[in-house]
Each structure stands twice: as structure tokens, then as C-alpha cells.
Amino acid sequence: MKIGSERQVDGVGIIERWPRPVIDRHDLVFEEFQNVQKSLRNIAIIAHVDHGKTSLVDGLLKQSNVFRDPDTAGDLILDASDLERERGITILSKNASIRFGEIDINIVDTPGHVDFGGEVERVLNMADGCLLVVDAVEGPMPQTRSVLAQALALGLRPVVVINKIDRPASRPEEVVSMVQDLFLELATDTDQLDFPVLYAIAKEGKSGYAPDALQDNLLALLNTIVEHVPAPGGDPEGPFQMLIASLDYDTHRGRIVIGRVRRGRVSVGDTVIHIAPDGTETVEKVSYIAKHVGLGRVAIETAEAGDIIALAGSPGARIGATLTDPAHRDALPAMEIEEPTLSLTFGVNTSPLSGREGKFSTSRQLRERLFRELETNMALRVEPTDQPDVFSVAGRGELHLSILIETMRREGYEFQVSKPEVVTKEIDGKRMEPIEHLYIDTVDEHVGTVTELVGSRRARMLDMVSDNRGSVRLEFSIPTRGLIGLRSAMLNATRGTAMLSSQLTGYEPWQGVITSSRTGALVASEGGQALAFGLLNAQDRGITFVEPGVEVYEGMIVGQHPREGDLPVNVCRGKKLTNMRASSADTHVRLSPPVEMSLEQALDFLGDDELLEVTPKNLRLRKQILGNDDRIKARRRTEGAARR
């Protein structure tokens, strides 16, 4: 059912559905400036991963006349990139707009995974309210707490949506109580505790004011947004001021900056001052202004306070910079982005197969791409190392870094990366490491397995709560480095029944050595094409990662064996030909299927002396030192230095 046209919805009647909200600082702004845009709402949609945020956005877009035929619009409408669709998660923040009666609603869609918290932190300042989506079974999760704390600190007015109430284990009343406790803990203003609660089945486009009274549309939700979220404030007659929250690129207009006009007006042809986060000022001229309409943009001549716009004419723009009137050069406060917790190195591919599969493989191309990523990826850090063709890259977590690696390889880049390591700090002369609050939801029968697995990674149990229906939630305090490889190990140990999520809580003194369960590698002793006979001999010693016909080189990791230490194997060895055969069985070699690793699994597998070769076509595990004799000499030198 379409509910966005004026024939179906009266703009005045919308306001009368809810009682007038308590006056807060947003309303005081409205009283001070009479020319505010009361027909506009700016709202951010926030949630933990997989709580239904993307489905809810799909429903809002389909039911608001954005598409001629909503039934053909499909799912994951805003998640347009291949990576987002393949992984089923939102990676980048996005903007869209819908029309509801006389009201324009700007939607700021945010990622739900904690590793992409930097995307949330840089766009929340564009909104006046937030739509908090919570799963009716899981309740508030770590990212729920994290993004809600940021939203409330910015003074956003919240609307809570309890989603997926059709699930068999749904417990909406308990979840509402948990959300209320969370608000009591995080609210910065007593008015923030007075929030409306709605219930929804986002996938079916249903919403309502009670779990047992859902409508077949999202009209209740839209009414609540219009009534409860304040119209944007700001002085439309003051000098122009805008904080850059996002960047885009247009082949005709060049760099596009996206942000909310905080004060005044801006028109095409105006001269503005770009104040970078470091205080550097440049003079620029506005050549294009557009506002978001549906999924696209429409060019306009003038924008004023409260508008979320896209603006061209600032070729050197940076996220976090301020655009101001030349006569009033006052910068807005810089964005606060949490520091990264994991790092690895990106280097030029030095394997014998380098340059064969990628379009971009030089150190100059790698450097330019990594530093270009810094323009939009606020949570990333890139620093040079003592090697000119190797760069240190730090991010929020494994997923944050692996998405960057996967994006670059799909763009045609070829490089090699090292094992992820935790980013530590030196505080009062002590080595400090990041600590995470880990949540694990599983079934009762796997509690012992889960506890044993995380216990070996220096985790301390904080709480254990059972729902008396066979499920249990375990909470631990664990070093960030203990999370490396934990997800895949946990899913294997619990046969896919465990769900993990975590939140950075702070820094504590170094927790000690975490014993690795990784065993030795099967390392190719010669280069060439892998043959069935050589792989059969290798499978007598362990599992293999390659199949016949694959090109390998000396020092490439082709498998894993069950004991410690590396084992050289010749997978290119063929069976010697003779005129006689012992039996017909000699003509056939039966091999076990090779183990194929995902990017995250390959990063988890890496040892301290190993690298992952990344190309658009392949992922190859290898030793840092390729020659077997050279590795033995290097190991002896290291052992000798340690004894001295």
C-alpha cells in the first residue's frame, strides 16, 4: 500500500495523532528563529547488525512513492554495492529522502556492524532524531549501546522500533524493558527518556503501536517520526556554515561534498571558505547544489539551514572540514572518531607470480590508493614504514580491514598483507592493550565449549543469563587480539549456533601471551604446476589448500599438517613413467578436495613469519622468506641472538 501521496495523507492531520511533545532545546531554537523548515525532518536509522534496519528502510522507500512499481524494487535497495549484497551488511552510510504528506523526511542510513562505527560517527550530526531498531528476540546488543550513546550525546530525539515481532521466540515486553534500562543508563537529558515505542515486521512493511495491532503499512511509524522528531533548527539569516560529513565523486562536476547546512544560506555561485581540520583555509566557489529526492538528487539554486545537501566546487574537500561565509570564518567542532585497534601491513607483491593478475602493482599506485581511502574512511590510519614499499594500515577490526582488502583487489590492485596485530598504547610507562566486551549467544549444550574456547584467549566471564528456553547469553571481557580468528573457530565448535558481537570498552595492562592453536604449514619446496601425485603425497602428511593444475612457487603454503613446525613438500612431483603398470589402480589418483579459505579465514591463519598474497584472481598464503635454506639460516640467527 502506498502511503506517501497527498491524496492519502493530510499534512495537518499527521501532527494531531500524537500529543504535543515536551519542549526541549530543539523547540527553543524554533521559537528563536521563525523561518525554520517545519516541513522537513532529518532522521538517522541506527541498529545492531541484522536487526532489520535495512529492511525497514526498504519498506519506507517502497511505501512512499519513490518507485513506480514497488514490487519490482527488490530488497537491500540502499545497499547497492556487490560487497554489501554478498555479505548482507551495510558498509557505508547513505542518504535518501521520502515525501510524506507535506513533510520531506531525509533518511541517513548507517552501518550496523561495530567495525564500521566510524561511518556512524561522521553522519549522526546531520540528523535531529534517530530511529533505533531493536530485534524482538535479541534485544539491545553492543552496537545498539554504542550508536545510541553517540546519538543521545548529540541531543537527537529517539524513536524506538521493536522489530521482528513475528519470530517464534519474540519477547517484545522484555525487550522494551531492556531498552528502557539502556536509556536510563545513557540518556544525557531527562526529555530523552520520553520516547515513543512502535512495533514492526519490517520485512513485510508492517508497523503499529502495539504488538497485536499492526497495520499493513508503515503509517504509524511515519506519523511518529513527523510528530516526535523536531524540525531542523538554525539561523537561516546568519552567515553560512556547514560541516562536511561525506564525500562523493561525479565525472562531470568532480568532488561532491555532503553535509547539513548549520546556519544561513548558500547559493550556486557563492564564494565560501574551506577550513580543514588542521586549520588550513582555502577559497572556493560553489558550482552546484542538490538535495536528495528518493534515491537520487535534484539540482537546486539555494539551500538553507537544516537542509542536507550535496555541493560541488570544493576539489580539496575533506570529511570533518567546515565550509563558511568568507566574512565569518568560524569552524565547527571536529568530529571525534574512535582510535583503531588492529593493524597490518600492505606491501608490494614480491612473489614470483607478481604482476601477472593485477592492473595496479607498484608502490606508487598502492600508496596513492591507501591515502585516497583516508579521504572517506575516517576510522582508518595509514603510515609509512622503514621500508619504502610497505605501509602500516590500522582499522577498527578484522572486518574493517578485510573489507578494504577485498575492495582493493576487486579494483585490480595486487599486494601482500601481514598478520593482523593489536594496536597498543604506552600509558604511565605501562604497555596497554584494547579490551572488548564480548557477547556470545548460543544454546545450553555449547556453554562449556564456548567457555573453554574463549578462556584460552585470556577472556574473563562477566555474566551468564539463560532465557529458560534453551538459549543462553554469555558476556566476557577479552583482549582485542583474542578476537582474531575467534568467529570462525566459534562457529566450527558450536556447529554454527553461536552469535558473536563485541564493543571496545577501554585499555588495560597487557594480559599476557595467548597460546595459538595453529599447527605447522606444508610449504612448497619447488615451483611449477601442482600435480595429483605430488598432492597425494602431501595429503599423507596433512590437508592441502591447492588442487592439480594450480601454479605454485617455492615458499608458498600449500597445506597444513597436524604437528608444530613447517614441513617442505614437493607438490609438483609427478609419477615416474614406465612400460609396466602394477595394476589399473595406478591410472587413477583419488584426492581429498582442497580446503578453500575466505579472506578472513586466510588472515586468521597467518603466522608471524607469513604473508597473504592478494590479487584480483587469487589469495595465496606464503612465507615471508621464500627459500627453505634462507628460512633455516634466518631462524638460526634469531635463536642465536636470543641466546646471547
Side-chain angles (χ1 to χ4, degrees):
M1 174 182 179
K2 296 182 179 181
I3 60 176
S5 66
E6 296 183 17
R7 295 190 303 275
Q8 296 167 304
V9 180
D10 179 36
V12 177
I14 297 167
I15 306 299
E16 297 176 350
R17 179 179 287 276
W18 283 81
R20 180 173 175 79
V22 178
I23 298 295
D24 69 357
R25 60 171 175 251
H26 292 92
D27 295 307
L28 295 177
V29 171
F30 303 157
E31 298 299 330
E32 182 180 353
F33 304 115
Q34 298 299 319
N35 295 324
V36 295
Q37 303 192 56
K38 294 189 176 181
S39 62
L40 180 64
R41 300 292 185 273
N42 297 324
I43 188 164
I45 302 185
I46 57 179
H48 186 81
V49 64
D50 202 33
H51 277 202
K53 172 183 59 60
T54 302
S55 297
L56 193 62
V57 174
D58 288 348
L60 290 172
L61 292 171
K62 290 178 180 179
Q63 296 185 22
S64 300
N65 290 333
V66 172
F67 306 100
R68 288 185 178 181
D69 185 2
D71 294 334
T72 62
D75 300 324
L76 308 176
I77 296 170
L78 287 186
D79 293 346
S81 73
D82 292 339
L83 267 178
E84 289 179 317
R85 289 181 172 273
E86 289 172 12
R87 294 174 180 258
I89 58 174
T90 300
I91 296 173
L92 300 175
S93 299
K94 304 173 187 69
N95 296 88
S97 177
I98 61 175
R99 181 82 172 173
F100 181 56
E102 298 294 333
I103 307 296
D104 287 320
I105 302 176
N106 284 322
I107 297 174
V108 182
D109 187 25
T110 64
H113 199 285
V114 68
D115 279 15
F116 306 109
E119 287 288 312
V120 182
E121 292 161 4
R122 68 178 174 84
V123 299
L124 282 183
N125 64 83
M126 292 193 290
D128 298 288
C130 63
L131 202 62
L132 179 66
V133 185
V134 183
D135 190 293
V137 175
E138 297 179 2
M141 298 291 281
Q143 183 69 354
T144 311
R145 172 185 296 271
S146 176
V147 295
L148 180 60
Q150 297 172 39
L152 296 181
L154 291 171
L156 305 190
R157 290 293 297 273
V159 174
V160 176
V161 179
I162 307 301
N163 190 31
K164 301 185 181 182
I165 63 171
D166 58 329
R167 293 180 62 181
S170 173
R171 43 173 187 160
E173 293 81 7
E174 295 178 45
V175 170
V176 169
S177 178
M178 296 164 67
V179 171
Q180 290 172 338
D181 292 341
L182 185 61
F183 270 83
L184 284 171
E185 181 182 344
L186 300 178
T188 60
D189 190 322
T190 55
D191 291 340
Q192 292 174 335
L193 299 176
D194 180 24
F195 55 87
V197 178
L198 289 94
Y199 303 86
I201 306 175
K203 202 165 187 179
E204 299 178 9
K206 297 180 179 180
S207 68
Y209 302 103
D212 55 353
L214 297 188
Q215 304 174 25
D216 290 331
N217 52 51
L218 299 174
L219 183 61
L221 176 59
L222 289 166
N223 275 329
T224 305
I225 291 173
V226 170
E227 172 60 21
H228 190 75
V229 176
D235 182 5
E237 304 302 329
F240 170 65
Q241 189 183 51
M242 171 180 142
L243 185 68
I244 299 175
S246 299
L247 294 178
D248 199 356
Y249 185 80
D250 184 272
T251 54
H252 301 290
R253 298 184 175 90
R255 180 164 296 183
I256 303 288
V257 303
I258 300 171
R260 171 177 168 174
V261 180
R262 287 290 169 183
R263 188 179 64 198
R265 294 184 175 89
V266 63
S267 301
V268 175
D270 285 354
T271 298
V272 297
I273 301 298
H274 176 277
I275 306 177
D278 61 2
T280 305
E281 297 184 2
T282 55
V283 180
E284 294 163 350
K285 189 173 184 178
V286 178
S287 60
Y288 167 81
I289 303 174
K291 66 176 182 179
H292 294 89
V293 176
L295 302 180
R297 298 178 186 142
V298 174
I300 57 176
E301 289 297 317
T302 301
E304 63 180 38
D307 285 330
I308 296 177
I309 61 172
L311 181 150
S314 185
R318 295 289 183 270
I319 292 177
T322 302
L323 297 179
T324 70
D325 184 273
H328 299 80
R329 305 186 180 191
D330 49 338
L332 288 162
M335 299 178 183
E336 295 185 3
I337 305 294
E338 288 187 10
E339 297 180 359
T341 57
L342 284 181
S343 70
L344 46 72
T345 61
F346 280 61
V348 172
N349 186 14
T350 58
S351 84
L353 303 181
S354 65
R356 298 188 183 183
E357 300 173 356
K359 294 188 296 182
F360 311 108
S361 57
T362 67
S363 60
R364 178 185 59 82
Q365 292 167 333
L366 182 61
R367 176 188 176 87
E368 289 178 353
R369 177 61 181 85
L370 289 174
F371 280 92
R372 188 167 69 247
E373 182 71 18
L374 293 179
E375 297 177 2
T376 56
N377 199 333
M378 296 290 289
L380 200 71
R381 300 289 185 272
V382 178
E383 297 177 355
T385 65
D386 54 1
Q387 303 177 59
D389 56 355
V390 178
F391 306 90
S392 175
V393 180
R396 283 285 184 85
E398 275 188 295
L399 185 59
H400 187 204
L401 294 171
S402 66
I403 289 294
L404 172 60
I405 295 171
E406 183 64 29
T407 301
M408 289 178 60
R409 72 179 291 223
R410 293 189 182 200
E411 292 174 356
Y413 285 84
E414 182 177 320
F415 51 93
Q416 59 192 25
V417 297
S418 66
K419 174 185 176 181
E421 296 180 350
V422 69
V423 177
T424 60
K425 289 183 176 182
E426 195 77 18
I427 302 177
D428 296 331
K430 295 182 179 179
R431 187 186 185 190
M432 311 289 280
E433 66 173 321
I435 302 295
E436 309 264 351
H437 191 133
L438 173 65
Y439 297 76
I440 301 177
D441 291 296
T442 186
V443 295
D444 290 337
E445 63 179 287
H446 294 310
V447 170
T449 302
V450 169
T451 305
E452 181 180 358
L453 187 57
V454 299
S456 63
R457 296 168 177 257
R458 299 282 177 174
R460 304 188 305 272
M461 181 177 284
L462 302 176
D463 196 9
M464 182 172 67
V465 179
S466 174
D467 64 356
N468 297 320
R469 289 180 287 188
S471 298
V472 61
R473 171 173 292 181
L474 303 164
E475 298 183 27
F476 300 89
S477 176
I478 185 172
T480 298
R481 57 195 169 98
L483 296 178
I484 299 176
L486 178 61
R487 187 176 301 275
S488 57
M490 186 70 69
L491 291 176
N492 289 333
T494 62
R495 297 193 292 276
T497 61
M499 294 179 58
L500 283 72
S501 55
S502 63
Q503 179 185 11
L504 181 67
T505 58
Y507 288 78
E508 294 182 10
W510 185 261
Q511 303 291 300
V513 177
I514 294 179
T515 304
S516 174
S517 59
R518 156 76 191 273
T519 56
L522 298 177
V523 184
S525 59
E526 292 185 13
Q529 277 196 348
L531 299 176
F533 186 76
L535 287 172
L536 182 64
N537 291 333
Q539 288 186 352
D540 289 339
R541 295 164 173 80
I543 58 175
T544 54
F545 300 156
V546 297
E547 58 186 10
V550 172
E551 190 167 3
V552 301
Y553 51 83
E554 183 183 6
M556 180 175 165
I557 298 173
V558 295
Q560 183 180 15
H561 72 99
R563 296 186 178 88
E564 293 185 2
D566 299 329
L567 184 64
V569 293
N570 183 8
V571 294
C572 302
R573 179 186 176 191
K575 184 177 178 62
K576 292 183 179 181
L577 299 178
T578 66
N579 292 327
M580 301 294 293
R581 296 185 185 276
S583 68
S584 60
D586 285 349
T587 61
H588 301 285
V589 174
R590 295 186 178 181
L591 296 174
S592 300
V595 174
E596 296 184 4
M597 292 188 183
S598 66
L599 175 58
E600 286 81 6
Q601 289 172 329
L603 289 173
D604 296 340
F605 182 86
L606 286 176
D608 294 332
D609 63 338
E610 296 167 355
L611 297 170
L612 175 64
E613 179 186 352
V614 181
T615 75
K617 296 181 179 179
N618 289 291
L619 297 173
R620 301 185 184 96
L621 295 162
R622 51 159 288 185
K623 290 293 180 179
Q624 289 182 1
I625 302 175
L626 296 179
N628 184 51
D629 293 340
D630 295 334
R631 288 197 303 274
I632 294 174
K633 292 176 182 178
R635 184 171 63 250
R636 287 174 178 173
R637 285 195 299 267
T638 303
E639 293 173 351
R643 285 194 296 269
R644 288 195 296 270

